[in-house]
Amino acid sequence: MRPAFAAALAKGVRTHMLSREEVALLLRAEGEEAAALLRAADRVRAGYLGEKVHLRAIIEFSNYCGNNCLYCGLRRDNRLLFRYRMSLDEILAAARQARTAGYRTIVLQAGEDPAYSAGELARLIRRMKDELDVAVTLSLGDRSRSDYRRLREAGADRYLLKHETADPVLFARLRPGTTLEKRLERLRWLQELGYQVGAGNMVGLPGQTIETLADDILLLQELRVEMAGIGPFIPHPDTPLAGAPAGSLEMTLKVLAVTRILLPYTFLPATTAVATLAPDGRQRALQAGANVVMPDLTPPPYRRHYALYPGRNRPVGEGTASFAWWVQEMARMGREVTADYGHIPRGSGSAHG
Ligand code: 5AD
Ligand code: SF4
């Protein structure tokens, strides 16, 4: 190991503070250095969060989207996608099933679909909270501040709104009609409203550099997010980025590892996108800092149509994953599935918070 690399890694583990240059140095790790980085992140995860793995059931209730993100299969201009919307009763039934199966957090995710009013969503959330006794996470993209407020008042606990990339020029190019600045403003609103907030980014976007990835991690730290979703970019054939190369598993794991080192308490999922890249992708992420898994509990007739990127709906060996299957799978890795809500202490985004 080069002395400068070893010094940056040791400083990160000790202080959870690094400069942009030091983060970039860690992200350039190869071979023995990369292995040391991932091991260090695994130790930080074990030290701050223990062996618990939190399972969150995801229900993708609509694949309509008004946005036209260049990377995403749900983009408005993708006419080849079969579109669906689940009714509020179907969503509630799917949530009930997840609760019965053992899940204590339900993630409601959809494209940016204005067909669901804030009032309807608020009623749904209130029923879920009253009848099912679950933590509710929302992942509904950009909405108005008053919508966010109503959903929070209805009982929603957490909100995931990935920043996607910390490069404002790249952001505006990949997400036409939107800006990073507005996205960050929304993240602040969500925090003010008392949500536990998640951001996160893709790794390997065309036009992204190591420095951009360093900025992604430092932005997560600056925002003090309670959660961060980090996954590889995977090109979708029916999008303008069809011909671009996918992000690598190795770089994704390194970004995850540095994020864990700088945000020791933040909840980091082993994302489905990681699992899509390689059969052991999920496991490797859980051994490089991740402590959350989000199994897909969208009812089967709809599931395959939530095609953000190819292969998403059939990560290897997880086709019919039940709660019990996950408990076993995690035990095999020496990890323990928890049955609590998995609430994240406020301000946990920083070791100094
Ligand atoms: N590759 C990887 N992740 C993608 N997402 C959308 N399209 C892709 C893709 N092609 C992710 C984005 C977004 C979430 C809905 O899915 O990060 O936040
Ligand atoms: Fe819509 Fe989100 Fe896909 Fe963009 S990334 S097109 S906002 S679902």
Side-chain angles (χ1 to χ4, degrees):
M1 232 189 288
R2 291 166 298 165
F5 181 88
L9 184 55
K11 178 184 167 194
V13 168
R14 196 177 63 246
T15 67
H16 311 292
M17 297 290 271
L18 290 174
S19 69
R20 187 179 193 234
E21 290 68 34
E22 288 164 332
V23 172
L25 177 65
L26 295 186
L27 293 179
R28 289 203 168 87
E30 298 290 345
E32 183 202 341
E33 291 180 349
L37 171 63
L38 304 195
R39 273 198 311 273
D42 197 38
R43 280 197 300 273
V44 170
R45 185 271 309 154
Y48 283 83
L49 297 164
E51 302 308 318
K52 288 185 177 145
V53 172
H54 301 265
L55 295 187
R56 276 78 159 97
I58 263 224
I59 300 169
E60 297 146 345
F61 63 86
S62 163
N63 69 351
Y64 280 84
C65 189
N67 268 354
N68 219 11
C69 305
L70 267 56
Y71 46 81
C72 178
L74 305 195
R75 66 198 306 270
R76 191 174 69 217
D77 284 356
N78 181 12
R79 298 284 139 74
L80 298 172
L81 183 69
F82 171 85
R83 305 277 175 173
Y84 70 88
R85 283 190 179 109
M86 287 169 62
S87 71
L88 298 176
D89 284 341
E90 283 178 302
I91 302 171
L92 190 64
R96 192 174 289 125
Q97 246 182 13
R99 177 66 180 90
T100 305
Y103 296 94
R104 303 280 283 190
T105 289
I106 309 290
V107 184
L108 296 179
Q109 184 162 55
E112 290 187 11
D113 184 355
Y116 298 84
S117 71
E120 280 176 321
L121 291 170
R123 278 193 297 282
L124 171 68
I125 291 162
R126 201 170 292 286
R127 283 194 66 182
M128 284 172 59
K129 296 294 292 185
D130 289 348
E131 293 176 26
L132 303 180
D133 183 32
V134 286
V136 174
T137 303
L138 302 178
S139 177
L140 308 174
D142 293 350
R143 297 189 71 112
S144 69
R145 194 179 201 282
S146 70
D147 279 9
Y148 290 149
R149 183 175 359 92
R150 284 182 77 176
L151 302 178
R152 174 77 186 124
E153 284 166 1
D157 302 278
R158 311 185 186 125
Y159 204 104
L160 306 175
L161 190 70
K162 293 172 71 172
H163 70 275
E164 310 293 3
T165 175
D167 175 345
V169 176
L170 190 58
F171 186 102
R173 193 187 319 143
L174 295 178
R175 302 178 54 88
T178 71
T179 67
L180 179 61
E181 197 189 344
K182 279 258 158 42
R183 193 76 163 179
L184 297 180
E185 181 179 35
R186 284 196 160 79
L187 284 164
R188 273 190 297 274
W189 290 348
L190 292 165
Q191 286 176 328
E192 287 161 13
L193 291 167
Y195 285 97
Q196 296 164 35
V197 171
N201 61 281
M202 283 175 282
V203 176
L205 288 167
Q208 185 182 58
T209 65
I210 296 265
E211 280 68 30
T212 315
L213 288 168
D215 290 341
D216 281 317
I217 299 169
L218 294 173
L219 177 61
L220 291 171
Q221 189 174 41
E222 190 186 317
L223 292 169
R224 297 175 156 233
V225 286
E226 277 90 4
M227 305 164 279
I230 293 164
F233 160 69
I234 300 172
H236 189 296
D238 306 322
T239 65
L241 298 183
S248 76
L249 179 58
E250 286 65 34
M251 185 55 81
T252 305
L253 293 174
K254 287 189 281 182
V255 173
L256 186 67
V258 178
T259 304
R260 167 55 67 216
I261 290 168
L262 291 190
L263 294 96
Y265 287 112
T266 293
F267 277 35
L268 304 176
T271 54
T272 308
V274 166
T276 305
L277 278 190
D280 61 348
R282 181 107 61 186
Q283 175 162 349
R284 288 173 68 185
L286 286 166
Q287 288 167 341
N291 69 323
V292 176
V293 174
M294 302 171 79
D296 187 355
L297 270 86
T298 308
Y302 301 119
R303 194 178 299 172
R304 69 194 174 93
H305 301 297
Y306 205 82
L308 299 164
Y309 46 82
R312 176 162 193 280
N313 315 96
R314 44 181 160 75
V316 192
E318 294 173 17
T320 55
S322 65
F323 193 88
W325 185 88
W326 282 106
V327 171
Q328 242 182 27
E329 192 66 9
M330 292 304 110
R332 230 168 35 85
M333 292 179 55
R335 303 286 278 276
E336 168 200 337
V337 166
T338 64
D340 60 15
Y341 299 110
H343 282 314
I344 309 140
R346 209 156 165 77
S348 63
S350 161
H352 314 282

